[in-house]
Amino acid sequence: MLKNVPKEFEYKQYLREILLKNEPQIPLYIATEKDFKKGDGINYPYRSHFYAFGLLHERECKLQIGIDTYDLKKKSLTVVGPGIVRNWVANDWDMKNTTVFFKESLFKNPFQDNFLLGYDFFKVGANHVIDLSDKAYSDLNGLLEALEKFKAHPNVGVGILFSILEFINSIYLENSTKHVLSRNQEITRKFNDLLTQNYRTQKSVGFYAGKMNLSAKHLSEVLKETVGKTIKQSIEELILLESQSLLKQTAMEVKEIMYWLGFEDPSYFTKFFKKKTGLTPSEYRVST
C-alpha cells in the first residue's frame, strides 16, 4: 500500500520556488527571462499542475517531453498542459522569452467547464513545440503585450488569454493540415500514446509491437528513424524521466516509487537507475 502518491508542481509553488515570486494569489502569471534568472532553473524532469505556453525571442535551447526531444529556436512556441513531464535538456534560463502560466480556475462564466481540454496542443502526445512564421510570431507577440497590459483586469485579461489560445489553436490546426504525417510518424505517435498509457505496467518490447501488429524489429527501426531511439530505449527513457520527477518532486520513499513504476525488485530498480544516471535513487534525490 502506497503511503504517498505522486504530486506535481502546484501553480503557487512553482512561482515561489522557480520564479522566486511572492505574487498576489491570482491564477495568471506572465514571466520573462528576468524572472527565470532569479532562480537556478530546473535541472531535473518535472511535471506541473497548470497550463503553460512560452514564446522564445532569441537563441536556442532543447526540451524533452516523453520520448520526443525538441530543438527550440527564435520564434518557437512551446505549449504544455498539466500532468506532462518535461525536461530542459539545454537551457541557461536567461534567453529572452515571454511565458504564460495559468490555472483553469481563471476561466469562469461564460466559459464551459474544462473547455481547455479541447485544445489538442495541451494533451499528451501532441506536438508541444511550434515554429512560427514571422507574421504569426509578430501577431502573437502583440497579443502577449496586450495580455501584459490588461492582466490585472479580470474580465479583459481572461478575454485576451482566450483569444491567444484560439490564435494558437488556429496555427496548430493549420500546421496539422499542412504537414500530413508520414506512415512512420503515425506509427511513432501511436506508440507514444500506448507507452504513455501503459509504461507503469508494461515494459516488454513484445507488448508494444504486438499491440501495433508490427514486428519488434520493424517498430524499433521506425522509432530509430523518427525519434532516434529503439522500443527498449524509449521505454527506459520514459521510466527514467518519471522516476527522476518523483524523486525530486515528492516525498515518496524509493520503494514506493519503485512499486509505482511497476518494479518488483528494489535492487533491479537501483541498478537500472544508477546505470542511467551514475547515481543511486537516494543519491539523485539529494543532488543539485
Side-chain angles (χ1 to χ4, degrees):
M1 184 73 177
L2 293 174
K3 296 179 183 177
N4 300 289
V5 294
K7 297 180 180 178
E8 307 164 350
F9 262 133
E10 290 291 342
Y11 173 79
K12 296 174 187 176
Q13 179 193 9
Y14 185 90
L15 294 185
R16 185 173 63 251
E17 296 183 12
I18 306 305
L19 300 180
L20 305 178
K21 279 285 184 180
N22 183 20
E23 285 296 309
Q25 303 305 314
I26 58 174
L28 168 68
Y29 187 76
I30 305 173
T32 69
E33 66 283 356
K34 295 178 182 178
D35 297 290
F36 289 106
K37 283 194 293 186
K38 293 177 181 177
D40 297 324
I42 307 177
N43 60 358
Y44 55 85
Y46 71 99
R47 68 160 51 81
S48 59
H49 191 57
F50 49 82
Y51 293 84
F53 61 87
L55 185 60
L56 190 62
H57 301 301
E58 65 175 5
R59 295 162 58 184
E60 299 179 352
C61 57
K62 191 182 294 286
L63 173 67
Q64 180 183 2
I65 300 179
I67 63 172
D68 294 314
T69 300
Y70 301 92
D71 291 306
L72 283 71
K73 51 185 180 293
K74 183 177 180 180
K75 300 179 184 176
S76 286
L77 172 68
T78 304
V79 284
V80 183
I84 298 175
V85 175
R86 63 271 207 186
N87 181 34
W88 290 100
V89 180
N91 189 342
D92 58 12
W93 299 99
D94 68 350
M95 289 171 291
K96 191 175 180 183
N97 73 93
T98 305
T99 302
V100 178
F101 305 102
F102 66 95
K103 290 180 65 68
E104 62 185 22
S105 60
L106 182 70
F107 293 94
K108 306 183 186 303
N109 288 333
F111 296 98
Q112 297 179 349
D113 291 343
N114 298 323
F115 82 95
L116 292 168
L117 299 177
Y119 292 122
D120 287 342
F121 50 78
F122 280 135
K123 297 177 182 177
V124 174
N127 180 16
H128 294 286
V129 175
I130 306 168
D131 293 327
L132 302 180
S133 66
D134 290 345
K135 185 178 187 309
Y137 168 81
S138 178
D139 289 345
L140 181 56
N141 209 28
L143 287 168
L144 289 172
E145 289 173 355
L147 181 62
E148 173 66 36
K149 181 178 180 180
F150 291 101
K151 65 181 181 182
H153 192 298
N155 293 333
V156 178
V158 169
I160 295 172
L161 179 56
F162 176 71
S163 297
I164 291 174
L165 295 176
E166 286 293 295
F167 180 72
I168 293 173
N169 194 45
S170 68
I171 295 172
Y172 188 83
L173 293 177
E174 183 181 355
N175 284 355
S176 299
T177 303
K178 281 183 178 179
H179 303 103
V180 179
L181 295 179
S182 67
R183 173 60 177 159
N184 284 356
Q185 288 172 325
E186 289 179 348
I187 289 173
T188 302
R189 178 163 292 185
K190 184 176 179 181
F191 169 77
N192 200 1
D193 290 341
L194 275 173
L195 180 61
T196 302
Q197 296 166 14
N198 296 282
Y199 72 94
R200 288 177 55 204
T201 57
Q202 301 291 341
K203 297 175 175 58
S204 72
V205 168
F207 170 82
Y208 297 97
K211 279 287 186 180
M212 298 181 67
N213 296 316
L214 298 171
S215 70
K217 180 181 178 182
H218 179 54
L219 180 54
S220 276
E221 288 174 347
V222 169
L223 294 174
K224 195 72 175 176
E225 176 190 316
T226 55
V227 296
K229 309 176 186 75
T230 63
I231 307 174
K232 184 173 185 292
Q233 289 170 335
S234 298
I235 296 170
E236 291 180 345
E237 190 149 321
L238 184 56
I239 292 171
L240 180 63
L241 281 174
E242 289 285 346
S243 59
Q244 289 174 309
S245 172
L246 294 173
L247 285 165
K248 288 291 190 180
Q249 290 191 260
T250 77
M252 295 173 72
E253 297 177 0
V254 173
K255 281 188 177 181
E256 288 184 298
I257 292 173
M258 176 197 75
Y259 287 124
W260 179 266
L261 293 173
F263 290 90
E264 297 181 358
D265 184 350
S267 63
Y268 179 80
F269 175 67
T270 298
K271 289 177 182 177
F272 162 79
F273 193 90
K274 188 168 185 178
K275 180 181 178 182
K276 296 293 183 181
T277 66
L279 300 171
T280 66
S282 297
E283 290 170 341
Y284 178 81
R285 167 165 270 167
V286 298
S287 66
T288 57

PDB file of all heavy atoms in Angstrom, residues 8-34:
ATOM      1  N   GLU A   8       2.535  17.112  -8.043  1.00  0.00           N
ATOM      2  CA  GLU A   8       3.030  17.922  -9.135  1.00  0.00           C
ATOM      3  C   GLU A   8       3.328  19.321  -8.638  1.00  0.00           C
ATOM      4  O   GLU A   8       2.894  19.710  -7.559  1.00  0.00           O
ATOM      5  CB  GLU A   8       1.969  17.986 -10.247  1.00  0.00           C
ATOM      6  CG  GLU A   8       1.486  16.620 -10.709  1.00  0.00           C
ATOM      7  CD  GLU A   8       0.197  16.694 -11.504  1.00  0.00           C
ATOM      8  OE1 GLU A   8      -0.409  17.774 -11.519  1.00  0.00           O
ATOM      9  OE2 GLU A   8      -0.193  15.689 -12.088  1.00  0.00           O
ATOM     10  N   PHE A   9       4.084  20.076  -9.415  1.00  0.00           N
ATOM     11  CA  PHE A   9       4.284  21.476  -9.103  1.00  0.00           C
ATOM     12  C   PHE A   9       2.932  22.169  -9.148  1.00  0.00           C
ATOM     13  O   PHE A   9       2.307  22.271 -10.199  1.00  0.00           O
ATOM     14  CB  PHE A   9       5.199  22.145 -10.141  1.00  0.00           C
ATOM     15  CG  PHE A   9       6.625  22.256  -9.703  1.00  0.00           C
ATOM     16  CD1 PHE A   9       7.646  21.892 -10.560  1.00  0.00           C
ATOM     17  CD2 PHE A   9       6.954  22.753  -8.458  1.00  0.00           C
ATOM     18  CE1 PHE A   9       8.976  22.005 -10.171  1.00  0.00           C
ATOM     19  CE2 PHE A   9       8.271  22.869  -8.060  1.00  0.00           C
ATOM     20  CZ  PHE A   9       9.286  22.498  -8.915  1.00  0.00           C
ATOM     21  N   GLU A  10       2.454  22.631  -7.998  1.00  0.00           N
ATOM     22  CA  GLU A  10       1.263  23.463  -7.997  1.00  0.00           C
ATOM     23  C   GLU A  10       1.653  24.854  -8.502  1.00  0.00           C
ATOM     24  O   GLU A  10       2.812  25.257  -8.416  1.00  0.00           O
ATOM     25  CB  GLU A  10       0.667  23.545  -6.592  1.00  0.00           C
ATOM     26  CG  GLU A  10       0.043  22.253  -6.102  1.00  0.00           C
ATOM     27  CD  GLU A  10      -1.231  21.893  -6.851  1.00  0.00           C
ATOM     28  OE1 GLU A  10      -1.800  22.794  -7.498  1.00  0.00           O
ATOM     29  OE2 GLU A  10      -1.640  20.726  -6.790  1.00  0.00           O
ATOM     30  N   TYR A  11       0.669  25.568  -8.971  1.00  0.00           N
ATOM     31  CA  TYR A  11       0.889  26.887  -9.569  1.00  0.00           C
ATOM     32  C   TYR A  11       1.643  27.826  -8.619  1.00  0.00           C
ATOM     33  O   TYR A  11       2.682  28.391  -8.963  1.00  0.00           O
ATOM     34  CB  TYR A  11      -0.472  27.470  -9.944  1.00  0.00           C
ATOM     35  CG  TYR A  11      -0.455  28.902 -10.430  1.00  0.00           C
ATOM     36  CD1 TYR A  11      -0.079  29.210 -11.729  1.00  0.00           C
ATOM     37  CD2 TYR A  11      -0.839  29.936  -9.586  1.00  0.00           C
ATOM     38  CE1 TYR A  11      -0.085  30.515 -12.181  1.00  0.00           C
ATOM     39  CE2 TYR A  11      -0.848  31.247 -10.033  1.00  0.00           C
ATOM     40  CZ  TYR A  11      -0.472  31.535 -11.321  1.00  0.00           C
ATOM     41  OH  TYR A  11      -0.477  32.822 -11.760  1.00  0.00           O
ATOM     42  N   LYS A  12       1.138  27.977  -7.387  1.00  0.00           N
ATOM     43  CA  LYS A  12       1.763  28.901  -6.434  1.00  0.00           C
ATOM     44  C   LYS A  12       3.153  28.421  -6.032  1.00  0.00           C
ATOM     45  O   LYS A  12       4.072  29.214  -5.853  1.00  0.00           O
ATOM     46  CB  LYS A  12       0.877  29.048  -5.200  1.00  0.00           C
ATOM     47  CG  LYS A  12      -0.481  29.668  -5.481  1.00  0.00           C
ATOM     48  CD  LYS A  12      -1.357  29.639  -4.242  1.00  0.00           C
ATOM     49  CE  LYS A  12      -2.773  30.102  -4.557  1.00  0.00           C
ATOM     50  NZ  LYS A  12      -3.666  29.980  -3.372  1.00  0.00           N
ATOM     51  N   GLN A  13       3.307  27.101  -5.899  1.00  0.00           N
ATOM     52  CA  GLN A  13       4.606  26.538  -5.535  1.00  0.00           C
ATOM     53  C   GLN A  13       5.641  26.830  -6.614  1.00  0.00           C
ATOM     54  O   GLN A  13       6.786  27.170  -6.320  1.00  0.00           O
ATOM     55  CB  GLN A  13       4.487  25.030  -5.326  1.00  0.00           C
ATOM     56  CG  GLN A  13       5.809  24.342  -4.972  1.00  0.00           C
ATOM     57  CD  GLN A  13       5.727  22.835  -5.086  1.00  0.00           C
ATOM     58  OE1 GLN A  13       4.742  22.285  -5.576  1.00  0.00           O
ATOM     59  NE2 GLN A  13       6.767  22.165  -4.642  1.00  0.00           N
ATOM     60  N   TYR A  14       5.244  26.698  -7.876  1.00  0.00           N
ATOM     61  CA  TYR A  14       6.155  26.956  -8.983  1.00  0.00           C
ATOM     62  C   TYR A  14       6.615  28.412  -8.962  1.00  0.00           C
ATOM     63  O   TYR A  14       7.801  28.712  -9.096  1.00  0.00           O
ATOM     64  CB  TYR A  14       5.476  26.640 -10.313  1.00  0.00           C
ATOM     65  CG  TYR A  14       6.392  26.766 -11.518  1.00  0.00           C
ATOM     66  CD1 TYR A  14       7.123  25.672 -11.971  1.00  0.00           C
ATOM     67  CD2 TYR A  14       6.534  27.972 -12.195  1.00  0.00           C
ATOM     68  CE1 TYR A  14       7.964  25.776 -13.070  1.00  0.00           C
ATOM     69  CE2 TYR A  14       7.369  28.092 -13.288  1.00  0.00           C
ATOM     70  CZ  TYR A  14       8.077  26.998 -13.723  1.00  0.00           C
ATOM     71  OH  TYR A  14       8.915  27.109 -14.803  1.00  0.00           O
ATOM     72  N   LEU A  15       5.669  29.327  -8.785  1.00  0.00           N
ATOM     73  CA  LEU A  15       6.032  30.752  -8.731  1.00  0.00           C
ATOM     74  C   LEU A  15       7.000  31.014  -7.586  1.00  0.00           C
ATOM     75  O   LEU A  15       7.977  31.746  -7.729  1.00  0.00           O
ATOM     76  CB  LEU A  15       4.789  31.617  -8.547  1.00  0.00           C
ATOM     77  CG  LEU A  15       3.754  31.645  -9.682  1.00  0.00           C
ATOM     78  CD1 LEU A  15       2.666  32.665  -9.361  1.00  0.00           C
ATOM     79  CD2 LEU A  15       4.393  31.977 -11.015  1.00  0.00           C
ATOM     80  N   ARG A  16       6.722  30.401  -6.451  1.00  0.00           N
ATOM     81  CA  ARG A  16       7.513  30.659  -5.257  1.00  0.00           C
ATOM     82  C   ARG A  16       8.918  30.061  -5.354  1.00  0.00           C
ATOM     83  O   ARG A  16       9.903  30.693  -4.989  1.00  0.00           O
ATOM     84  CB  ARG A  16       6.789  30.092  -4.034  1.00  0.00           C
ATOM     85  CG  ARG A  16       7.456  30.392  -2.697  1.00  0.00           C
ATOM     86  CD  ARG A  16       6.596  29.937  -1.540  1.00  0.00           C
ATOM     87  NE  ARG A  16       6.386  28.496  -1.538  1.00  0.00           N
ATOM     88  CZ  ARG A  16       5.225  27.899  -1.829  1.00  0.00           C
ATOM     89  NH1 ARG A  16       4.168  28.634  -2.154  1.00  0.00           N
ATOM     90  NH2 ARG A  16       5.112  26.592  -1.805  1.00  0.00           N
ATOM     91  N   GLU A  17       9.013  28.840  -5.865  1.00  0.00           N
ATOM     92  CA  GLU A  17      10.292  28.134  -5.857  1.00  0.00           C
ATOM     93  C   GLU A  17      11.135  28.352  -7.113  1.00  0.00           C
ATOM     94  O   GLU A  17      12.368  28.367  -7.034  1.00  0.00           O
ATOM     95  CB  GLU A  17      10.061  26.633  -5.663  1.00  0.00           C
ATOM     96  CG  GLU A  17       9.437  26.294  -4.320  1.00  0.00           C
ATOM     97  CD  GLU A  17       9.289  24.803  -4.122  1.00  0.00           C
ATOM     98  OE1 GLU A  17       9.876  24.037  -4.920  1.00  0.00           O
ATOM     99  OE2 GLU A  17       8.585  24.395  -3.188  1.00  0.00           O
ATOM    100  N   ILE A  18      10.498  28.511  -8.250  1.00  0.00           N
ATOM    101  CA  ILE A  18      11.251  28.621  -9.502  1.00  0.00           C
ATOM    102  C   ILE A  18      11.415  30.074  -9.934  1.00  0.00           C
ATOM    103  O   ILE A  18      12.487  30.497 -10.367  1.00  0.00           O
ATOM    104  CB  ILE A  18      10.569  27.809 -10.618  1.00  0.00           C
ATOM    105  CG1 ILE A  18      10.356  26.351 -10.161  1.00  0.00           C
ATOM    106  CG2 ILE A  18      11.403  27.864 -11.899  1.00  0.00           C
ATOM    107  CD1 ILE A  18      11.626  25.653  -9.707  1.00  0.00           C
ATOM    108  N   LEU A  19      10.359  30.856  -9.832  1.00  0.00           N
ATOM    109  CA  LEU A  19      10.450  32.257 -10.240  1.00  0.00           C
ATOM    110  C   LEU A  19      10.730  33.179  -9.053  1.00  0.00           C
ATOM    111  O   LEU A  19      10.921  34.378  -9.228  1.00  0.00           O
ATOM    112  CB  LEU A  19       9.149  32.690 -10.924  1.00  0.00           C
ATOM    113  CG  LEU A  19       8.775  31.898 -12.180  1.00  0.00           C
ATOM    114  CD1 LEU A  19       7.470  32.405 -12.764  1.00  0.00           C
ATOM    115  CD2 LEU A  19       9.874  31.970 -13.227  1.00  0.00           C
ATOM    116  N   LEU A  20      10.747  32.613  -7.841  1.00  0.00           N
ATOM    117  CA  LEU A  20      11.059  33.370  -6.627  1.00  0.00           C
ATOM    118  C   LEU A  20      10.169  34.600  -6.500  1.00  0.00           C
ATOM    119  O   LEU A  20      10.620  35.698  -6.205  1.00  0.00           O
ATOM    120  CB  LEU A  20      12.542  33.780  -6.618  1.00  0.00           C
ATOM    121  CG  LEU A  20      13.545  32.638  -6.769  1.00  0.00           C
ATOM    122  CD1 LEU A  20      14.963  33.177  -6.783  1.00  0.00           C
ATOM    123  CD2 LEU A  20      13.385  31.620  -5.654  1.00  0.00           C
ATOM    124  N   LYS A  21       8.895  34.375  -6.732  1.00  0.00           N
ATOM    125  CA  LYS A  21       7.933  35.464  -6.703  1.00  0.00           C
ATOM    126  C   LYS A  21       6.937  35.293  -5.558  1.00  0.00           C
ATOM    127  O   LYS A  21       6.488  34.185  -5.276  1.00  0.00           O
ATOM    128  CB  LYS A  21       7.145  35.521  -8.018  1.00  0.00           C
ATOM    129  CG  LYS A  21       7.889  36.216  -9.147  1.00  0.00           C
ATOM    130  CD  LYS A  21       7.891  37.711  -8.924  1.00  0.00           C
ATOM    131  CE  LYS A  21       8.537  38.431 -10.102  1.00  0.00           C
ATOM    132  NZ  LYS A  21       8.546  39.889  -9.900  1.00  0.00           N
ATOM    133  N   ASN A  22       6.614  36.390  -4.921  1.00  0.00           N
ATOM    134  CA  ASN A  22       5.544  36.408  -3.941  1.00  0.00           C
ATOM    135  C   ASN A  22       4.413  37.244  -4.529  1.00  0.00           C
ATOM    136  O   ASN A  22       4.234  38.413  -4.200  1.00  0.00           O
ATOM    137  CB  ASN A  22       6.023  37.000  -2.616  1.00  0.00           C
ATOM    138  CG  ASN A  22       4.939  36.973  -1.559  1.00  0.00           C
ATOM    139  OD1 ASN A  22       3.993  36.216  -1.671  1.00  0.00           O
ATOM    140  ND2 ASN A  22       5.083  37.808  -0.546  1.00  0.00           N
ATOM    141  N   GLU A  23       3.685  36.629  -5.446  1.00  0.00           N
ATOM    142  CA  GLU A  23       2.692  37.356  -6.220  1.00  0.00           C
ATOM    143  C   GLU A  23       1.321  37.317  -5.549  1.00  0.00           C
ATOM    144  O   GLU A  23       1.036  36.412  -4.771  1.00  0.00           O
ATOM    145  CB  GLU A  23       2.580  36.744  -7.614  1.00  0.00           C
ATOM    146  CG  GLU A  23       3.742  37.091  -8.522  1.00  0.00           C
ATOM    147  CD  GLU A  23       3.835  38.575  -8.811  1.00  0.00           C
ATOM    148  OE1 GLU A  23       2.832  39.183  -9.218  1.00  0.00           O
ATOM    149  OE2 GLU A  23       4.920  39.137  -8.621  1.00  0.00           O
ATOM    150  N   PRO A  24       0.460  38.268  -5.857  1.00  0.00           N
ATOM    151  CA  PRO A  24      -0.932  38.177  -5.415  1.00  0.00           C
ATOM    152  C   PRO A  24      -1.514  36.846  -5.883  1.00  0.00           C
ATOM    153  O   PRO A  24      -1.107  36.308  -6.910  1.00  0.00           O
ATOM    154  CB  PRO A  24      -1.601  39.358  -6.127  1.00  0.00           C
ATOM    155  CG  PRO A  24      -0.490  40.318  -6.401  1.00  0.00           C
ATOM    156  CD  PRO A  24       0.721  39.480  -6.663  1.00  0.00           C
ATOM    157  N   GLN A  25      -2.442  36.319  -5.147  1.00  0.00           N
ATOM    158  CA  GLN A  25      -2.965  34.991  -5.445  1.00  0.00           C
ATOM    159  C   GLN A  25      -3.955  35.030  -6.610  1.00  0.00           C
ATOM    160  O   GLN A  25      -5.155  34.844  -6.456  1.00  0.00           O
ATOM    161  CB  GLN A  25      -3.618  34.405  -4.196  1.00  0.00           C
ATOM    162  CG  GLN A  25      -2.684  34.332  -3.005  1.00  0.00           C
ATOM    163  CD  GLN A  25      -1.409  33.561  -3.334  1.00  0.00           C
ATOM    164  OE1 GLN A  25      -1.482  32.489  -3.931  1.00  0.00           O
ATOM    165  NE2 GLN A  25      -0.254  34.082  -2.950  1.00  0.00           N
ATOM    166  N   ILE A  26      -3.441  35.294  -7.791  1.00  0.00           N
ATOM    167  CA  ILE A  26      -4.261  35.256  -8.996  1.00  0.00           C
ATOM    168  C   ILE A  26      -3.754  34.124  -9.886  1.00  0.00           C
ATOM    169  O   ILE A  26      -2.547  33.860  -9.931  1.00  0.00           O
ATOM    170  CB  ILE A  26      -4.218  36.598  -9.767  1.00  0.00           C
ATOM    171  CG1 ILE A  26      -2.773  36.953 -10.162  1.00  0.00           C
ATOM    172  CG2 ILE A  26      -4.847  37.705  -8.935  1.00  0.00           C
ATOM    173  CD1 ILE A  26      -2.673  38.182 -11.043  1.00  0.00           C
ATOM    174  N   PRO A  27      -4.656  33.422 -10.573  1.00  0.00           N
ATOM    175  CA  PRO A  27      -4.251  32.237 -11.339  1.00  0.00           C
ATOM    176  C   PRO A  27      -3.698  32.549 -12.725  1.00  0.00           C
ATOM    177  O   PRO A  27      -3.921  31.812 -13.670  1.00  0.00           O
ATOM    178  CB  PRO A  27      -5.553  31.438 -11.426  1.00  0.00           C
ATOM    179  CG  PRO A  27      -6.616  32.466 -11.372  1.00  0.00           C
ATOM    180  CD  PRO A  27      -6.106  33.570 -10.501  1.00  0.00           C
ATOM    181  N   LEU A  28      -2.963  33.660 -12.851  1.00  0.00           N
ATOM    182  CA  LEU A  28      -2.327  34.011 -14.118  1.00  0.00           C
ATOM    183  C   LEU A  28      -1.023  34.734 -13.826  1.00  0.00           C
ATOM    184  O   LEU A  28      -0.979  35.658 -13.021  1.00  0.00           O
ATOM    185  CB  LEU A  28      -3.243  34.922 -14.945  1.00  0.00           C
ATOM    186  CG  LEU A  28      -2.607  35.606 -16.172  1.00  0.00           C
ATOM    187  CD1 LEU A  28      -2.257  34.561 -17.236  1.00  0.00           C
ATOM    188  CD2 LEU A  28      -3.542  36.664 -16.755  1.00  0.00           C
ATOM    189  N   TYR A  29       0.061  34.286 -14.458  1.00  0.00           N
ATOM    190  CA  TYR A  29       1.331  34.989 -14.295  1.00  0.00           C
ATOM    191  C   TYR A  29       2.079  34.988 -15.618  1.00  0.00           C
ATOM    192  O   TYR A  29       2.145  33.970 -16.319  1.00  0.00           O
ATOM    193  CB  TYR A  29       2.202  34.349 -13.212  1.00  0.00           C
ATOM    194  CG  TYR A  29       3.437  35.182 -12.933  1.00  0.00           C
ATOM    195  CD1 TYR A  29       3.335  36.347 -12.190  1.00  0.00           C
ATOM    196  CD2 TYR A  29       4.682  34.828 -13.460  1.00  0.00           C
ATOM    197  CE1 TYR A  29       4.434  37.148 -11.959  1.00  0.00           C
ATOM    198  CE2 TYR A  29       5.794  35.625 -13.232  1.00  0.00           C
ATOM    199  CZ  TYR A  29       5.665  36.779 -12.484  1.00  0.00           C
ATOM    200  OH  TYR A  29       6.758  37.583 -12.264  1.00  0.00           O
ATOM    201  N   ILE A  30       2.644  36.125 -15.966  1.00  0.00           N
ATOM    202  CA  ILE A  30       3.438  36.257 -17.194  1.00  0.00           C
ATOM    203  C   ILE A  30       4.886  36.466 -16.795  1.00  0.00           C
ATOM    204  O   ILE A  30       5.223  37.446 -16.120  1.00  0.00           O
ATOM    205  CB  ILE A  30       2.946  37.439 -18.046  1.00  0.00           C
ATOM    206  CG1 ILE A  30       1.453  37.298 -18.349  1.00  0.00           C
ATOM    207  CG2 ILE A  30       3.742  37.509 -19.359  1.00  0.00           C
ATOM    208  CD1 ILE A  30       0.847  38.508 -19.036  1.00  0.00           C
ATOM    209  N   ALA A  31       5.739  35.542 -17.177  1.00  0.00           N
ATOM    210  CA  ALA A  31       7.156  35.604 -16.803  1.00  0.00           C
ATOM    211  C   ALA A  31       8.017  35.946 -18.003  1.00  0.00           C
ATOM    212  O   ALA A  31       7.654  35.687 -19.155  1.00  0.00           O
ATOM    213  CB  ALA A  31       7.601  34.266 -16.211  1.00  0.00           C
ATOM    214  N   THR A  32       9.180  36.523 -17.728  1.00  0.00           N
ATOM    215  CA  THR A  32      10.189  36.779 -18.753  1.00  0.00           C
ATOM    216  C   THR A  32      11.519  36.235 -18.245  1.00  0.00           C
ATOM    217  O   THR A  32      11.603  35.694 -17.137  1.00  0.00           O
ATOM    218  CB  THR A  32      10.333  38.283 -19.054  1.00  0.00           C
ATOM    219  OG1 THR A  32      10.931  38.931 -17.923  1.00  0.00           O
ATOM    220  CG2 THR A  32       8.983  38.908 -19.362  1.00  0.00           C
ATOM    221  N   GLU A  33      12.538  36.410 -19.061  1.00  0.00           N
ATOM    222  CA  GLU A  33      13.867  35.936 -18.653  1.00  0.00           C
ATOM    223  C   GLU A  33      14.318  36.577 -17.341  1.00  0.00           C
ATOM    224  O   GLU A  33      15.112  35.981 -16.591  1.00  0.00           O
ATOM    225  CB  GLU A  33      14.892  36.194 -19.755  1.00  0.00           C
ATOM    226  CG  GLU A  33      15.188  37.657 -20.067  1.00  0.00           C
ATOM    227  CD  GLU A  33      14.124  38.340 -20.898  1.00  0.00           C
ATOM    228  OE1 GLU A  33      13.153  37.668 -21.318  1.00  0.00           O
ATOM    229  OE2 GLU A  33      14.260  39.559 -21.123  1.00  0.00           O
ATOM    230  N   LYS A  34      13.826  37.763 -17.021  1.00  0.00           N
ATOM    231  CA  LYS A  34      14.199  38.424 -15.760  1.00  0.00           C
ATOM    232  C   LYS A  34      13.744  37.608 -14.560  1.00  0.00           C
ATOM    233  O   LYS A  34      14.434  37.536 -13.543  1.00  0.00           O
ATOM    234  CB  LYS A  34      13.600  39.826 -15.709  1.00  0.00           C
ATOM    235  CG  LYS A  34      14.149  40.779 -16.760  1.00  0.00           C
ATOM    236  CD  LYS A  34      13.475  42.140 -16.671  1.00  0.00           C
ATOM    237  CE  LYS A  34      14.000  43.085 -17.755  1.00  0.00           C
ATOM    238  NZ  LYS A  34      13.308  44.401 -17.718  1.00  0.00           N
TER     239      LYS A  34
END
